[in-house]
Amino acid sequence: MRYVLRRLLLVPIPLLLVVAFVFVVLRLTGDPVAIYLGLDATPEQEELLRAELHLDQPIPVQFAYFLADLLQGDFGTSIQFKMAAMQIVGERLEATLLLLGLGLSAAIVLGVLGGVACAVWKDKLPDFVISVLAVAGQSMPSFWLGILLIQFFALDLGWLPTSGRGGWEHLVLPTVTLATFLVPNFILVTRISVLETAREQFVVTARARGAGAARALWLHVLPNAINPVVSLIGLQLGRLMGGAVVTETIFAWPGVGRLMVSAIFQRDVPVVIASVFIVAVTIVIANLLVDLVQAAIDPRIRMR
């Protein structure tokens, strides 16, 4: 319980750092009043909006107002959609979480199975083939793979749609694209972890007492080799979110990533802030869950 409380107390720190970074970037990239009103605004209109946004106050006071608005969920009104920015991002969040969940699940299942297969058949044909595929997948950029999949499965064969959101068939190509660049990491980490655990004394003792290879693998090796894989999930979440931005853009998937790219090009500052904040909150919460799972698997983590 003390470990959980300690981890919960650390949650606001990365969020505060992200908010401070966003605030600084906003102040460095131009006058918000000019972005909101455009070039045709009169000096009176600029002065009125500057006072309304508290931009006539000292920087520390502006940051305090900025924080207060964020705590209330007030990210301002979208310049592009003329709606509350948080409402727009919230409507796109479900699509992004669905894509991230499927992509990460596929990467974990395929990566762990591939890594175990490589460890079991070490230095044999399956190990060589899977390792080569893992390196190839690691080397291929997501945008390039997505374009290839669209060309082959959607345009040439006509089996799957090219883009958009609809039934399950719309999820196949984006999920494969998102999972492909994560699978190699899970394969390599699982392979190394299984091989190292298999050399531990307790595994050797279990084999000496008559445990078969399969029993030793499932009962002794895998439960102790899974912790590095769980750690890798936490490390890959930020990369996964970056991959989601690229994947959503390629497949016109209506998620937060595509919305954020569009908002950046349209200089829709409130939507950009809300999107960055939601992405940061998602990553922080997911990392918190990963830490709690690790602590549940390995009690030594709770005692540190």
Side-chain angles (χ1 to χ4, degrees):
M1 191 63 184
R2 183 180 298 177
Y3 175 78
V4 176
L5 291 176
R6 194 166 64 238
R7 290 294 297 118
L8 287 175
L9 289 175
L10 293 176
V11 166
I13 296 176
L15 292 179
L16 186 61
L17 291 175
V18 171
V19 168
F21 177 76
V22 171
F23 178 82
V24 171
V25 170
L26 285 177
R27 292 300 178 270
L28 292 177
T29 53
D31 185 3
V33 172
I35 296 174
Y36 275 103
L37 296 180
L39 300 176
D40 299 331
T42 64
E44 291 77 15
Q45 290 175 316
E46 291 182 354
E47 185 178 354
L48 184 62
L49 183 59
R50 198 175 299 280
E52 184 180 338
L53 297 177
H54 311 292
L55 296 176
D56 54 349
Q57 303 289 331
I59 292 295
V61 178
Q62 292 183 33
F63 185 63
Y65 277 113
F66 184 72
L67 276 181
D69 290 340
L70 294 192
L71 290 175
Q72 297 172 16
D74 182 8
F75 292 82
T77 303
S78 167
I79 299 172
Q80 185 181 3
F81 299 97
K82 309 301 180 188
M83 294 170 56
M86 179 51 80
Q87 181 183 348
I88 298 169
V89 176
E91 291 173 353
R92 306 291 185 93
L93 185 60
E94 180 199 349
T96 294
L97 292 180
L98 176 63
L99 184 59
L100 291 179
L102 289 175
L104 183 60
S105 300
I108 293 173
V109 172
L110 295 176
V112 170
L113 291 177
V116 171
C118 288
V120 170
W121 289 289
K122 180 175 177 289
D123 297 332
K124 296 181 180 177
L125 183 61
D127 183 21
F128 175 76
V129 172
I130 295 174
S131 297
V132 168
L133 292 176
V135 173
Q138 186 82 33
S139 308
M140 185 174 294
S142 295
F143 68 90
W144 179 245
L145 175 63
I147 293 172
L148 287 180
L149 292 175
I150 290 174
Q151 178 64 44
F152 186 68
F153 290 101
L155 299 180
D156 293 343
L157 299 178
W159 290 353
L160 296 168
T162 57
S163 60
R165 187 184 182 190
W168 63 269
E169 63 274 10
H170 288 81
L171 280 164
V172 175
L173 295 183
T175 300
V176 171
T177 303
L178 192 57
T180 298
F181 82 102
L182 291 178
V183 168
N185 292 327
F186 285 105
I187 290 176
L188 298 177
V189 170
T190 303
R191 180 183 186 275
I192 294 173
S193 183
V194 169
L195 288 175
E196 289 181 349
T197 307
R199 288 194 288 266
E200 295 288 340
Q201 190 61 43
F202 66 92
V203 179
V204 176
T205 302
R207 293 298 306 273
R209 296 181 64 180
R215 180 180 176 83
L217 175 67
W218 291 107
L219 293 185
H220 300 288
V221 176
L222 283 183
N224 292 283
I226 203 66
N227 220 350
V229 179
V230 178
S231 300
L232 181 64
I233 294 174
L235 294 173
Q236 293 296 317
L237 288 174
R239 192 167 172 235
L240 181 69
M241 193 61 76
V245 173
V246 176
T247 304
E248 289 180 2
T249 304
I250 293 173
F251 292 96
W253 185 259
V256 175
R258 183 166 174 248
L259 173 68
M260 186 159 50
V261 172
S262 170
I264 291 172
F265 282 112
Q266 298 294 329
R267 295 186 65 81
D268 196 344
V269 176
V271 173
V272 173
I273 298 173
S275 301
V276 171
F277 185 77
I278 288 298
V279 168
V281 169
T282 304
I283 293 176
V284 169
I285 292 177
N287 272 288
L288 174 64
L289 294 176
V290 168
D291 287 346
L292 297 181
V293 170
Q294 276 189 301
I297 294 174
D298 189 351
R300 293 173 297 179
I301 295 177
R302 298 196 297 268
M303 300 172 65
R304 291 175 185 169

